[in-house]
């Protein structure tokens, strides 16, 4: 006779879990299957064929050499992978954002630069370095796909804890979440007062930077103080808003509580002040928008596909013009455009040419064998303590090039190349692909009804990382590490692994 009782050890045994949730079918499989067939052909043709063909037909002085054809292959490859992400029946959040960035910043924009024969930043090395850069980005993307494929072959295992024990998915502890809200208002208030009041947040980024420099938190050669001031003034406020947004979006009980609604309204107003698009970098505001959208609509496949599709259009048409608040009135750069592709060759998308310049720079001095990445990981160490602390990769390359303006990008491929060369680039991108795919599958499970509920930490962390992916991929890592570390610290501080009864989730 088979016993109906299960021992605690048997309950703790690992179980294989589908990424969609136990027994959870794909969202509207029949309707989306019909819709995907209708959209697949024009979407793939548009991303892979039509847009590259329109760019190739543009007039310019570009030479159709090896760099041209490699860039065309990279653009089509990234376009095909992005189309796959959009048409997938499952939401691959981190992977989708990755391929959207690659398609625009490493594919379409550099291809337009090769065709027109103009780059945002001068290329100081030989043409062969550009060929090497494009080839390494292409190989790195293939390594990313290989890592994601390996992750998909490995089943997810979720350990079911014995009754009364800790262990399950991480959720936000209610009391600690309230403390995070208190930290958000306190740190943001200090940030606002330190900069002289709310009015400066609606002036320009230039005025914000000048005010931070005059506040005394920036020392000569070190920006650790300003990084912590901005980070704690912005990140806790965003995280608290995301948690309360998810709670309101997924819990009927929370929506009936006036206190929860009032806290959300106050947090929304706070974020409109410290995280608005006027006083913040476009990439950070993009992070705020992406994280908020996916926190508010955690299970919507339509929102996921809309974000990826609209992101391509926005990056081509709107993003190059979204820096109108960067400078004070009268000192803005004038934007003159004869075609929609001109901003792609004259403004922001310098990632590929900076990779080529970095290859030239490394050829003159050699690889750093982990030192540059260590500087990014130990960003919080002041230069007064670590006199030989590495500078931003983009800054170092810009100084070597003799440029006055050194706020240059250093895409993730570049960071791996500086330290470990081709092998490090391939291995690093494969690891990132593996981690992205695993996180996407965990996130897909976390936002189902079988997930840990409104307090799921992963349901907030994954959208935040997805939005921050633009900053991480664009680089430099040293600039990007501060806010990411503060976010991780806050998430760890409020997390608990104690199982909660299902009846108390909603």
């Amino acid at each position: 006779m088979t016993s109906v009782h299960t021992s605690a050890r048997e309950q703790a045994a690992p179980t294989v879990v589908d990424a969609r949730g136990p027994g959870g079918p794909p969202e509207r499989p029949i309707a989306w299957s019909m819709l995907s067939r209708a959209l697949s052909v024009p979407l793939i043709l548009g991303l892979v064929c039509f847009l590259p063909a329109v760019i190739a037909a543009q007039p310019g002085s570009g030479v159709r050499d090896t760099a041209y054809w490699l860039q065309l292959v990279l653009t089509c490859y990234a376009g095909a992978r992005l189309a796959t992400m959009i048409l997938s029946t499952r939401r691959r959040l981190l992977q989708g954002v990755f391929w959207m960035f690659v398609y625009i910043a490493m594919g379409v924009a550099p291809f337009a630069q090769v065709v027109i024969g103009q780059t945002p930043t001068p290329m100081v090395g030989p043409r062969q370095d550009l060929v090497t850069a494009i080839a390494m980005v292409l190989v790195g993307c293939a390594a990313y796909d290989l890592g994601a494929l390996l992750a998909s072959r490995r089943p997810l295992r979720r350990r079911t804890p014995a009754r009364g024990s800790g262990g399950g998915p991480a959720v936000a502890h209610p009391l600690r979440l309230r403390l995070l809200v208190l930290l958000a208002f306190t740190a943001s208030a200090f940030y606002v007062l330190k900069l002289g009041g709310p009015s400066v947040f609606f002036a320009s980024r230039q005025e914000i930077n000048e005010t931070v420099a005059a506040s005394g938190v920036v020392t000569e050669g070190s920006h650790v103080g300003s990084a912590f001031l901005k980070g704690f003034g912005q990140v806790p406020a965003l995280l608290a808003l995301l948690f309360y947004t998810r709670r309101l979006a997924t819990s009927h009980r929370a929506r009936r509580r006036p206190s929860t609604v009032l806290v959300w309204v106050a947090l929304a107003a706070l974020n409109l002040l410290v995280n608005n698009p006027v006083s913040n970098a476009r990439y950070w505001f993009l992070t705020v928008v992406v994280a908020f959208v996916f926190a508010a609509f955690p299970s919507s496949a339509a929102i996921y596909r809309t974000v990826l599709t609209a992101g391509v259009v926005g990056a081509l048409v709107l993003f190059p013009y979204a820096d109108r608040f960067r400078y004070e009135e009268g000192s803005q750069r004038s934007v003159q455009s004869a075609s929609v592709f001109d901003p792609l060759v004259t403004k922001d998308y310098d990632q590929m040419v900076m990779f080529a310049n970095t290859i030239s720079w490394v050829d003159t001095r050699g690889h750093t064998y982990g030192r540059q990445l260590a500087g990014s990981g130990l960003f919080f160490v002041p230069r007064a303590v670590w006199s030989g602390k590495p500078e931003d990769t983009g800054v170092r390359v810009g100084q070597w090039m003799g440029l006055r303006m050194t706020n240059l990008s250093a895409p993730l491929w570049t960071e791996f190349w500086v330290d470990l060369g081709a092998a490090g680039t391939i291995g690093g991108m494969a690891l990132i692909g593996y981690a992205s795919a695993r996180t996407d599958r965990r996130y897909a499970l976390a936002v189902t009804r079988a997930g840990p509920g409104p307090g799921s930490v992963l349901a907030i962390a994954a959208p935040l990382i997805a939005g921050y992916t633009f900053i991480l991929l664009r680089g430099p890592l040293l600039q990007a590490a501060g806010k990411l570390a503060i976010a991780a610290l806050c998430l760890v501080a409020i997390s608990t692994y104690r199982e909660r009864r299902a009846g108390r989730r909603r």
Side-chain angles (χ1 to χ4, degrees), residues 101 298 437:
F101 177 90

Side-chain angles (χ1 to χ4, degrees), residues 98 101 106 144 351 355 373 409-418 424-425 428-429 432 469 471-477:
F98 173 85
F101 177 90
M106 312 302 285
Y144 180 93
Q351 285 78 23
F355 192 179
L373 288 174
S409 65
L412 197 55
W413 296 259
T414 298
E415 301 284 2
F416 290 132
W417 179 272
V418 168
T425 303
M429 295 307 297
I432 292 173
T469 295
I471 299 176
L472 294 173
L473 292 176
R474 188 258 183 193
L477 277 181

Side-chain angles (χ1 to χ4, degrees), residues 188-189 191-193 197-202 208 233-234 266-280:
S188 295
Y191 178 43
V192 172
L193 293 176
S199 60
V200 72
F201 288 86
F202 298 97
I208 282 281
Q234 297 174 310
L267 287 170
L270 181 64
N271 278 269
L272 286 175
L273 176 61
V274 299
N275 287 319
N276 68 75
V278 176
S279 58
N280 287 282

Side-chain angles (χ1 to χ4, degrees), residues 276-404:
N276 68 75
V278 176
S279 58
N280 287 282
R282 290 165 293 168
Y283 280 100
W284 173 248
F285 183 70
L286 189 61
T287 299
V288 173
V289 172
V290 171
F292 179 81
V293 168
F294 286 121
F297 305 96
S299 303
S300 175
I303 293 295
Y304 162 77
R305 298 178 183 109
T306 301
V307 168
L308 294 185
T309 306
V312 175
V313 179
L316 286 172
V317 180
L318 300 178
F319 189 78
Y321 300 96
D323 64 342
R324 60 174 303 179
F325 300 112
R326 177 180 295 182
Y327 305 99
E328 294 180 351
E329 191 70 25
S331 62
Q332 293 179 336
R333 293 179 298 175
S334 60
V335 179
Q336 297 178 354
S337 177
S339 74
V340 70
F341 299 110
D342 282 354
L344 301 182
V345 303
T346 58
K347 299 188 69 173
D348 300 286
Y349 297 106
D350 65 340
Q351 285 78 23
M352 189 65 76
V353 68
M354 281 304 298
F355 192 179
N357 287 329
T358 303
I359 292 174
S360 303
W361 176 61
V362 171
D363 287 343
T364 66
R365 64 186 305 279
H367 299 287
T368 54
Y369 301 105
R371 187 172 180 274
Q372 200 70 19
L373 288 174
S376 300
L378 299 174
F379 72 96
F380 52 87
V381 179
R383 296 191 186 276
V385 178
W386 184 4
S387 59
K389 181 179 177 181
E391 294 182 277
D392 291 326
T393 302
V395 171
R396 292 290 304 277
V397 177
Q399 292 172 346
W400 173 77
M401 294 169 61
L403 300 178
R404 295 181 59 187

